[in-house]
Amino acid sequence: MTKSIPVAIIGAGPYGLSIAAHLRACGVEHRIFGRTMGPWRTQMPAGMHLKSEGFASTLYDPQSAFTLKQYCHDAGLPYADLGLPVPLDTLNAYGLAFQSRFAPDVEDRLVAGLDRREDEFVLTLDDGETVAADAVVVAVGLSYFRQIPPALEGLGSEFITHSQDHHDLTPFKSRKVVVIGGGSSAIDLATLLHESGADAQLVARGQSLSIHEKMQLPRPLWDRLTAPMSGVGPGWRSLLYSDFPQLFHWIPEQRRLRIVRKSLGPSAGWFMKERFVGKVPALLGYTVDCAEIKGGRVNLHLLGRDGARKQLTAEHVVAATGYAPDVRRLPFLSASILGRLKTAGNTPVLSSSLQSTVPGLYFAGPAAANSFGPVLRFIVGAKFAAPQIANHIVRATRARKPYVAAPAYGDRQASVQRGGRVSG
Ligand SMILES: Cc1cc2nc3c(=O)[nH]c(=O)nc-3n(C[C@H](O)[C@H](O)[C@H](O)COP(=O)(O)OP(=O)(O)OC[C@H]3O[C@@H](n4cnc5c(N)ncnc54)[C@H](O)[C@@H]3O)c2cc1C
């Protein structure tokens, strides 16, 4: 093992890359591990468009000099801040261009282990190399947190997969595929399967599906006043979530968890309406009660909300049933780190600088949403997370003092009541 580096970033998606860009600009030595825009390039269906608007689908360098808008302008690609869905391919090409400018040394390797020994972290890479670091930022996105309904587990990946298992949909051409789920991923996937020549059907437990309405552009004054635009959609509440994550952090913990669970539900983008409605059959109000393999096909036993029963047969079933962040599912975290990590709602309790209760260990992206609100589930949350983490690391590095974990919310309240000053 070589000398300890100041920072290791685990993850090279929008969060990891934006954090690397900020650290680089401050001259902080770091290494960044992961596949550049990995899940976007391999775990999202080809042909997908982003639900987030153009202005909210950008990565962040400290000067905001290389935005998605700038990239599209330079590359001669269509772009609009609002109302023009961003194709997945465009985001990925932009992400790669951003990486080569601001994080040129991304190492396409996985971290297999992360432990803490005395004052430093020890990362074990998938090829066996060990790296010591003073601070570590975990920005690994959603992939480890996928959910599959228990009734579908154990039937084998030949028959049942998760939506994140599919980028190329052509192998499903002419095959009968059932997509389970009623959110944006399910609607996108069922539509793209249908458009790729599969015999696709969607089954959802809700009685209706939610698809956003197309916004009138330019936005009338009334709309702008009653529902101002934000990085996570229109509305005053969304604006609060999008622009004031630090304020969100002050909300009592249980209330925060409830808000994150309930807000910004899984509606599909407005542009899916005419591609999905009337084209892809949807069976609504049904859950999968149990499933079995018979004659090389999946037999789904469905249970309706009214108690009705139905059977459906498919060659393949895709569970587009989302993600549930839970740090215990991050396979690289050692038991000793997990033991020291204070959590709420299975995600780390974080200070105002996104530092966990393990000094020097930071979390960004969806794993930080319970602390800073739903904006952290989206790319646009990196606008807040990247400078916040980088500035804290810069201060700690310059002070050359060991990292000290900030008090968690409850402790902070107590300290404030005692007149103490708390930062992260
Ligand atoms: C189907 C779908 C559609 C979405 N659409 C939108 C949208 O339109 N707009 C939006 O804002 N958000 C959208 N999201 C949410 C979006 O995926 C996340 O907000 C965003 O990707 C989080 O970025 P991230 O950098 O945290 O993680 P990711 O983009 O998921 O990147 C994770 C990184 O971690 C790396 N990694 C993972 N494990 C390891 C390891 N052990 N060692 C090293 N590296 C590792 C990966 O290789 C990758 O580089 C969507 C999500 C899904 C599932």
Side-chain angles (χ1 to χ4, degrees):
M1 190 160 48
T2 47
K3 178 176 123 341
S4 188
I5 50 165
V7 191
I9 302 170
I10 309 179
Y15 280 85
L17 294 173
S18 301
I19 293 162
H22 279 73
L23 289 175
R24 192 162 190 255
C26 299
V28 177
E29 188 193 345
H30 59 275
R31 286 173 76 177
I32 167 167
F33 304 101
R35 170 150 298 186
T36 302
M37 302 299 283
W40 297 90
R41 292 200 289 149
T42 59
Q43 297 179 347
M44 301 207 191
M48 185 187 101
H49 286 78
L50 269 65
K51 213 168 74 170
S52 47
E53 298 286 355
F55 82 95
S57 303
T58 198
L59 277 60
Y60 297 91
D61 63 272
Q63 267 74 46
S64 290
F66 192 53
T67 57
L68 177 64
K69 181 179 186 172
Q70 185 64 46
Y71 170 77
C72 289
H73 177 269
D74 296 348
L77 294 170
Y79 173 87
D81 280 342
L82 293 177
L84 186 66
V86 178
L88 181 60
D89 282 351
T90 300
L91 179 80
N92 285 335
Y94 163 62
L96 290 168
F98 186 98
Q99 178 258 312
S100 68
R101 281 191 193 201
F102 297 104
D105 301 322
V106 168
E107 298 174 49
D108 190 349
R109 294 195 277 172
L110 290 183
V111 172
L114 175 65
D115 204 355
R116 184 155 174 90
R117 288 184 207 144
E118 291 160 16
D119 276 348
E120 61 184 22
F121 292 94
V122 179
L123 295 89
T124 307
L125 306 184
D126 54 0
D127 58 7
E129 183 190 340
T130 53
V131 176
D134 299 333
V136 171
V137 183
V138 177
V140 293
L142 288 167
S143 309
Y144 291 110
F145 307 134
R146 70 189 195 168
Q147 298 191 100
I148 293 194
L152 293 173
E153 265 170 7
L155 295 181
S157 58
E158 190 191 341
F159 298 105
I160 312 275
T161 44
H162 189 268
S163 50
Q164 74 171 12
D165 295 324
H166 304 290
H167 174 67
D168 176 13
L169 302 180
T170 52
F172 290 114
K173 193 171 170 129
S174 307
R175 296 181 73 200
K176 168 86 188 166
V177 184
V178 169
V179 176
I180 309 284
S184 168
S185 292
I187 292 175
D188 282 4
L189 195 64
T191 305
L192 290 162
L193 281 163
H194 165 77
E195 292 173 356
S196 316
D199 176 8
Q201 173 166 12
L202 182 136
V203 175
R205 70 177 162 203
Q207 300 278 29
S208 60
L209 296 171
S210 169
I211 302 184
H212 285 150
E213 286 304 320
K214 187 171 183 187
M215 187 179 347
Q216 189 183 337
L217 289 173
R219 299 194 78 217
L221 180 63
W222 178 252
D223 289 5
R224 282 182 280 140
L225 288 174
T226 54
M229 184 44 72
S230 84
V232 292
W236 283 103
R237 198 179 282 259
S238 297
L239 186 75
L240 203 71
Y241 297 152
S242 165
D243 291 14
F244 301 98
Q246 209 58 279
L247 207 61
F248 190 91
H249 194 225
W250 279 94
I251 297 174
E253 187 173 276
Q254 287 310 313
R255 189 128 185 248
R256 263 188 280 131
L257 299 185
R258 213 169 37 246
I259 296 175
V260 171
R261 210 169 41 244
K262 292 194 167 164
S263 50
L264 304 178
S267 305
W270 60 267
F271 46 89
M272 295 310 290
K273 198 173 226 165
E274 63 180 45
R275 291 167 64 183
F276 176 80
V277 177
K279 300 199 169 109
V280 181
L283 180 62
L284 304 180
Y286 281 86
T287 50
V288 181
D289 187 32
C290 60
E292 77 225 327
I293 309 299
K294 253 194 185 161
R297 293 168 84 93
V298 191
N299 214 358
L300 292 172
H301 298 260
L302 305 174
L303 182 60
R305 290 166 83 102
D306 55 0
R309 292 192 170 271
K310 261 187 200 300
Q311 274 197 42
L312 263 186
T313 304
E315 289 168 87
H316 194 88
V317 175
V318 183
T321 39
Y323 300 84
D326 181 342
V327 278
R328 293 167 303 179
R329 296 179 69 188
L330 293 177
F332 50 83
L333 290 185
S334 71
S336 91
I337 287 190
L338 276 174
R340 294 172 64 182
L341 208 53
K342 186 169 176 185
T343 59
N346 297 327
T347 58
V349 167
L350 300 176
S351 74
S352 55
S353 307
L354 291 89
Q355 190 184 198
S356 70
T357 48
V358 178
L361 181 63
Y362 299 78
F363 286 83
N370 282 336
S371 290
F372 294 95
V375 67
L376 273 286
R377 296 203 304 247
F378 300 92
I379 301 173
V380 70
K383 182 182 187 177
F384 159 74
Q388 205 69 19
I389 292 177
N391 290 341
H392 194 250
I393 289 176
V394 167
R395 285 201 299 275
T397 314
R398 292 199 179 135
R400 291 182 187 280
K401 284 189 190 150
Y403 286 85
V404 180
Y409 180 85
D411 310 337
R412 182 177 63 185
Q413 290 297 312
S415 167
V416 169
Q417 276 156 21
R418 286 196 302 270
R421 192 175 159 274
V422 175
S423 67

